[in-house]
């Protein structure tokens, strides 16, 4: 069993607040780390695919960092908006089997106007 | 990117019955993947489906319970057989473009078994 842990499980913030979540994973056999945004009844939306230790990626108000040596990634949202409300998933890709991702349980974000 | 559709989007079924979920992709892909998310749990890979060959199942999943068809390069079905309430989950199909490329997902089928 491969444990990918996400914290917190849920988060409630006010509009305009900045927030961050954590994804921790086993650092051995690392290939890539995927972040997704998942709204109910919609397809999970790919945010980032991170492959390099120390990598930092940004998409609008959302950014992510990666530390493969210690096995964690942070996702940051600057100036949260109600439309950011969703479940954010991280998934470990070990590269051994194409398409096989190990997901965390997600962080459910609610942004109040 | 890939656009993936699934049918049905949701269903409520009686125990002991079977449900077939369809997955359609807007482009030809070699491999398609089926995942499920049980309530409160993480997304978990059920099986990998290649066109023209039998699906490869992950540990804990068997063909008799989750038969898969892959008749062509844009379509696949997953059947949940002899359902029990423990099968209540969201089932998603997925395609990828290589290990470091994005993995795309369908919108899911939300199944409730009574």
């Amino acid at each position: 069993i491969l444990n990918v842990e996400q914290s917190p499980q849920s988060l409630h913030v006010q509009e305009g607040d900045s927030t961050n979540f954590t994804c921790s994973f086993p650092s051995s056999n690392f290939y890539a780390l995927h972040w997704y945004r998942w709204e109910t009844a919609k397809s999970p939306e790919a945010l980032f695919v991170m492959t390099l230790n120390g990598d930092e990626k940004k998409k609008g108000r959302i950014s992510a960092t990666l530390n493969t040596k210690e096995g964690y990634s942070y996702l940051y949202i600057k100036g949260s908006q109600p439309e950011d409300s969703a479940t954010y998933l991280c998934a470990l890709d070990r590269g051994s089997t194409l398409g096989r991702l190990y997901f965390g349980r997600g962080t459910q974000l609610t942004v109040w106007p | 990117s890939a656009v993936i559709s699934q049918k049905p989007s949701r269903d409520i079924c009686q125990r002991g019955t079977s449900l077939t979920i369809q997955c359609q992709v807007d482009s030809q892909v070699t491999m398609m993947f089926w995942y499920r998310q049980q309530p409160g749990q993480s997304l978990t890979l059920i099986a990998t489906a290649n066109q023209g060959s039998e699906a490869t199942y992950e540990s804990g999943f068997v063909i008799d319970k989750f038969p898969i068809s892959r008749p062509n390069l844009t379509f696949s079905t997953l059947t949940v057989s002899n359902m029990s309430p423990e099968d209540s989950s969201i089932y998603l199909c997925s395609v990828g473009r290589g290990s470091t490329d994005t993995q795309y997902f369908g919108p899911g089928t939300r199944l409730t078994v009574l």
Side-chain angles (χ1 to χ4, degrees), chain A residues 13-19 37 61-62 77-86 88 109-113:
Chain A
V13 301
Q14 287 293 129
E15 182 176 356
D17 289 349
S18 293
T19 186
R37 178 178 178 276
R61 295 179 290 99
I62 305 176
I77 302 179
K78 184 178 179 181
S80 302
Q81 300 296 309
E83 56 265 31
D84 295 329
S85 298
Y88 291 82
L109 173 66
T110 303
V111 182
W112 299 103

Side-chain angles (χ1 to χ4, degrees), chain A residues 31-32 34 36 38 40-44 46 49 51 89 93 95-105, chain B residues 4 31 33 35 37 40-45 48 58 90 92 98-107 110:
Chain A
Y31 194 85
H34 301 243
Y36 289 88
W38 193 10
T40 303
K42 294 185 178 181
S43 300
V49 180
T51 57
L89 302 173
D93 182 348
S96 57
T97 303
L98 189 67
R100 197 195 198 295
L101 300 179
Y102 299 86
F103 281 86
R105 296 186 182 186
Chain B
I4 305 172
M31 300 173 78
F33 309 90
Y35 280 80
Q37 185 188 45
Q41 302 301 311
S42 57
L43 271 168
T44 302
L45 182 64
T48 302
E58 296 295 306
I90 302 174
L92 297 97
S99 289
T100 56
D101 286 351
T102 302
Q103 191 85 3
Y104 299 100
F105 287 84
R110 187 179 294 271

Side-chain angles (χ1 to χ4, degrees), chain B residues 2-114:
Chain B
V3 178
I4 305 172
S5 60
Q6 287 184 233
K7 290 181 181 179
S9 59
R10 58 175 61 230
D11 208 342
I12 301 173
C13 301
Q14 296 296 320
R15 69 170 67 211
T17 62
S18 297
L19 176 72
T20 296
I21 302 167
Q22 299 179 8
C23 177
Q24 180 77 49
V25 188
D26 68 342
S27 57
Q28 293 184 340
V29 293
T30 304
M31 300 173 78
M32 295 177 74
F33 309 90
W34 286 97
Y35 280 80
R36 79 170 180 186
Q37 185 188 45
Q38 293 176 299
Q41 302 301 311
S42 57
L43 271 168
T44 302
L45 182 64
I46 298 172
T48 302
N50 289 334
Q51 195 269 333
S53 63
E54 281 200 6
T56 302
Y57 290 82
E58 296 295 306
S59 176
F61 298 96
V62 296
I63 188 171
D64 290 345
K65 176 67 177 178
F66 297 103
I68 288 171
S69 77
R70 185 77 203 277
N72 58 54
L73 291 173
T74 63
F75 187 79
S76 177
T77 67
L78 170 78
T79 299
V80 186
S81 303
N82 188 25
M83 289 184 285
S84 67
E86 292 71 37
D87 294 320
S88 298
S89 299
I90 302 174
Y91 292 85
L92 297 97
C93 67
S94 174
V95 302
R97 292 289 185 268
S99 289
T100 56
D101 286 351
T102 302
Q103 191 85 3
Y104 299 100
F105 287 84
T109 296
R110 187 179 294 271
L111 171 62
T112 301
V113 184
L114 303 177

Side-chain angles (χ1 to χ4, degrees), chain A residues 20-89:
Chain A
N20 64 86
F21 328 131
T22 303
C23 174
S24 61
F25 52 88
S27 55
S28 60
N29 299 319
F30 175 88
Y31 194 85
L33 195 284
H34 301 243
W35 279 101
Y36 289 88
R37 178 178 178 276
W38 193 10
E39 291 182 74
T40 303
K42 294 185 178 181
S43 300
E45 174 194 356
L47 293 174
F48 305 113
V49 180
M50 310 183 76
T51 57
L52 298 175
N53 184 44
D55 203 7
E56 182 171 345
K57 295 204 172 181
K58 189 174 181 181
K59 184 177 182 180
R61 295 179 290 99
I62 305 176
S63 61
T65 60
L66 177 67
N67 184 321
T68 58
K69 293 181 180 179
E70 297 185 29
Y72 65 83
S73 176
Y74 294 137
L75 187 79
Y76 301 90
I77 302 179
K78 184 178 179 181
S80 302
Q81 300 296 309
E83 56 265 31
D84 295 329
S85 298
T87 296
Y88 291 82
L89 302 173

